[in-house]
Amino acid sequence: MDEYSIETKSENIFDRKTKEYFLEVVSSYHQGNYRSATVMLWSVAICDLLYKLKQMHDMYGDTIAKGILDEVERIQTGNPRSSEWEFKLVELISDRTNLLEMSDIDHLTHLQQQRHLSAHPVLSSDLELHRPNKDTVRSLIRNTLDGILTKPPIYTRKVFDDFVADIAASSSILIKDETLKSYLESKYLSRADKKLEQNLIRSLWKLVFRLQNPDCDKNRNINYRAMELLISRNSGEMAALIRSARDYFSHIANTGEPIVYLVSLLSQYPSFYSELTEAARVIINHVVETNLTAKCMGWFIKPSLNEHANDLIAWLSGDESPDLPDDAIPALRNLSDSPEWDSHRNRILNAYYGASWSYDKSDERFSSAIKPYIEQYTNDDLVDLLNKIEANGQTYERRGARGDHRIIKERCDNVLGASFDYTPYPHFTRSIE
């Protein structure tokens, strides 16, 4: 049984005028006026293509769309009574844009033939006008809906160049993720289908994770954030997309900033890691081992987040005593939104603060690692922090400890209660007096 619903599918028609005109096609079809439905369907398809080109030019300044419109207008002006321009429009769109696929061209050619037979008095041997049957017309309607009317009007080959140029030029106002999301959804994604979004992801993947040149380096962050937003809309299908083009997605830079960004993505979507080739995973593993920020984020190469947290605590507390870059601590916060990870993260930050080797370093680490997150500390997190402070004079003997540790004491009072026994923590107690 064919469960395809013309009425339901027509709700996805992009252009308001097209949707209005299409109602006439449906009305004629349901009344059994199949000749009228076919003739009107061709007109609606051609008009919709023109509307899409005009919208591309008006909204995005698309020069390819404008060139097609100008050429069609010249043909119309030269021979206003001829319908030659109609299929010329189809040819130009096919040659210069990605709006129509080969199957769509075939369907349009068939529709044009049926329209010609239905609109002109081509008599049969029995002196009857051509009358397409119900199944033929339904097929024509379905193919036109799927191949043209419900497609977004942003499929010219220049769309990706316009997309990345636009977000680069607007990056100064697209600082917040919420702003970027609203901007992209309003201007692009509301008119995009899954295929277009996947094509954008593929192209952005190359810019962010593979290429290294001044333009790519300058715009890597905004391109990454745009790609991250696109992936979040299709995350359930992204692993399959990588699997279907494994070599393409595994063609990444050998080292440097592009791979740190890739580690950031994989830390959110660890299933992508196993879909990449072994060669790509070798590159990624090397960066996780050698880059401090990547090391903090690269939990996906470990058996679990819990083991990753324990390894980081041992590393930060050990003889190496690394000094983390500014972006590493916020990256740790974003590895997971689970309460379990919150506690692991707080223990990691405690270890980092507790391993400070100078007063100045303790000042810095309290400001970056403890103060921004102290309101999220639970009982066990606070006790662990007190133990770390008590074990290192660089934390409790510094001049700034009096003010900083009062912030910790206030949180302890709220969580542990006024009756909490501070006897095991005399250095901490003296640091706030």
Side-chain angles (χ1 to χ4, degrees):
M1 179 178 178
D2 185 1
E3 297 184 8
Y4 185 93
S5 170
I6 292 173
E7 287 76 9
T8 300
K9 188 69 174 182
S10 67
E11 291 301 313
N12 297 325
I13 294 175
F14 276 87
D15 189 86
R16 177 186 57 80
K17 289 189 291 185
T18 297
K19 186 178 290 188
E20 179 183 336
Y21 297 151
F22 186 75
L23 291 176
E24 187 174 335
V25 176
V26 176
S27 176
S28 296
Y29 170 75
H30 286 312
Q31 293 178 32
N33 299 324
Y34 301 132
R35 276 191 296 268
S36 298
T38 302
V39 172
M40 187 60 185
L41 182 62
W42 171 257
S43 298
V44 171
I46 293 301
C47 286
D48 188 67
L49 291 174
L50 290 171
Y51 298 153
K52 283 177 166 61
L53 293 173
K54 190 174 187 305
Q55 187 173 21
M56 282 304 303
H57 172 60
D58 292 346
M59 291 190 64
Y60 308 107
D62 194 300
T63 56
I64 294 176
K66 181 64 165 58
I68 295 174
L69 289 170
D70 289 345
E71 190 163 341
V72 167
E73 184 178 357
R74 283 195 297 270
I75 297 172
Q76 284 181 308
T77 303
N79 192 354
R81 294 187 177 183
S82 172
S83 61
E84 174 192 356
W85 68 270
E86 295 176 359
F87 210 77
K88 183 64 177 178
L89 171 68
V90 176
E91 291 178 354
L92 292 172
I93 290 175
S94 176
D95 290 341
R96 301 180 188 179
T97 79
N98 291 328
L99 182 59
L100 298 175
E101 298 183 13
M102 287 305 300
S103 59
D104 301 326
I105 301 295
D106 290 341
H107 294 321
L108 274 172
T109 301
H110 182 49
L111 173 59
Q112 186 200 35
Q113 292 169 347
Q114 290 296 318
R115 179 260 181 196
H116 178 77
L117 292 171
S118 298
H120 299 287
V122 179
L123 300 176
S124 69
S125 58
D126 296 327
L127 299 181
E128 292 184 357
L129 290 173
H130 173 75
R131 184 178 187 272
N133 62 42
K134 180 179 180 179
D135 290 339
T136 297
V137 177
R138 180 176 175 80
S139 176
L140 292 172
I141 292 173
R142 179 171 182 170
N143 290 332
T144 305
L145 270 173
D146 292 344
I148 301 172
L149 307 186
T150 58
K151 278 189 175 179
I154 51 175
Y155 262 83
T156 69
R157 290 177 182 148
K158 190 171 171 282
V159 64
F160 179 70
D161 293 339
D162 291 342
F163 179 88
V164 295
D166 183 22
I167 61 175
S170 306
S171 59
S172 61
I173 64 172
L174 302 177
I175 298 172
K176 295 183 178 180
D177 289 342
E178 296 82 3
T179 307
L180 176 64
K181 180 179 180 180
S182 297
Y183 185 82
L184 293 184
E185 288 184 345
S186 173
K187 193 166 184 180
Y188 296 99
L189 303 184
S190 63
R191 300 172 180 84
D193 61 6
K194 182 173 69 174
K195 179 181 177 182
L196 177 58
E197 290 191 27
Q198 289 182 345
N199 287 339
L200 290 174
I201 290 171
R202 284 174 61 98
S203 298
L204 286 168
W205 186 283
K206 178 179 178 180
L207 287 185
V208 176
F209 301 140
R210 185 186 308 173
L211 300 183
Q212 292 176 288
N213 57 54
D215 280 344
C216 287
D217 296 342
K218 177 183 177 182
N219 298 313
R220 197 177 310 281
N221 186 256
I222 188 66
N223 288 336
Y224 173 78
R225 290 172 57 219
M227 179 179 61
E228 193 176 32
L229 172 61
L230 287 164
I231 289 174
S232 71
R233 291 164 58 92
N234 297 279
S235 59
E237 300 174 0
M238 186 61 196
L241 179 62
I242 296 174
R243 192 181 311 123
S244 69
R246 197 175 185 220
D247 290 339
Y248 176 88
F249 285 101
S250 297
H251 185 190
I252 56 179
N254 290 325
T255 188
E257 188 178 51
I259 308 305
V260 177
Y261 272 91
L262 179 53
V263 170
S264 177
L265 182 72
L266 297 176
S267 72
Q268 299 175 65
Y269 302 101
S271 63
F272 298 172
Y273 176 73
S274 61
E275 302 297 344
L276 299 172
T277 64
E278 178 62 25
R281 293 199 296 268
V282 168
I283 293 172
I284 293 165
N285 292 356
H286 176 73
V287 170
V288 168
E289 292 169 0
T290 58
N291 180 279
L292 298 184
T293 300
K295 191 179 186 74
C296 290
M297 296 187 293
W299 74 273
F300 51 86
I301 69 172
K302 304 288 182 63
S304 66
L305 261 173
N306 181 58
E307 184 165 332
H308 179 64
N310 291 335
D311 288 346
L312 288 181
I313 290 171
W315 172 55
L316 294 171
S317 305
D319 294 338
E320 189 174 340
S321 190
D323 198 20
L324 298 179
D326 292 340
D327 60 348
I329 292 173
L332 278 171
R333 184 183 184 186
N334 295 327
L335 289 189
S336 173
D337 58 3
S338 69
E340 293 79 12
W341 175 247
D342 286 345
S343 182
H344 285 314
R345 180 206 62 219
N346 294 339
R347 300 296 184 90
I348 293 169
L349 299 180
N350 292 347
Y352 187 52
Y353 178 55
S356 302
W357 64 81
S358 70
Y359 295 158
D360 287 344
K361 192 56 61 179
S362 291
D363 289 341
E364 292 174 12
R365 292 185 177 184
F366 182 86
S367 296
S368 65
I370 304 299
K371 186 176 181 180
Y373 311 107
I374 189 65
E375 292 302 316
Q376 300 170 29
Y377 272 48
T378 62
N379 299 46
D380 292 341
D381 303 332
L382 290 166
V383 171
D384 180 67
L385 177 57
L386 293 174
N387 285 320
K388 294 295 190 298
I389 292 171
E390 198 66 23
N392 186 354
Q394 302 298 328
T395 63
Y396 61 75
E397 290 179 351
R398 62 191 174 91
R399 186 177 301 160
R402 190 167 185 266
D404 290 345
H405 288 180
R406 283 182 173 179
I407 296 173
I408 297 174
K409 177 63 163 57
E410 182 178 352
R411 180 62 179 170
C412 287
D413 289 344
N414 291 335
V415 175
L416 300 176
S419 62
F420 180 75
D421 183 12
Y422 288 92
T423 303
Y425 314 106
H427 295 309
F428 173 79
T429 302
R430 283 195 293 271
S431 72
I432 59 177
E433 292 175 348

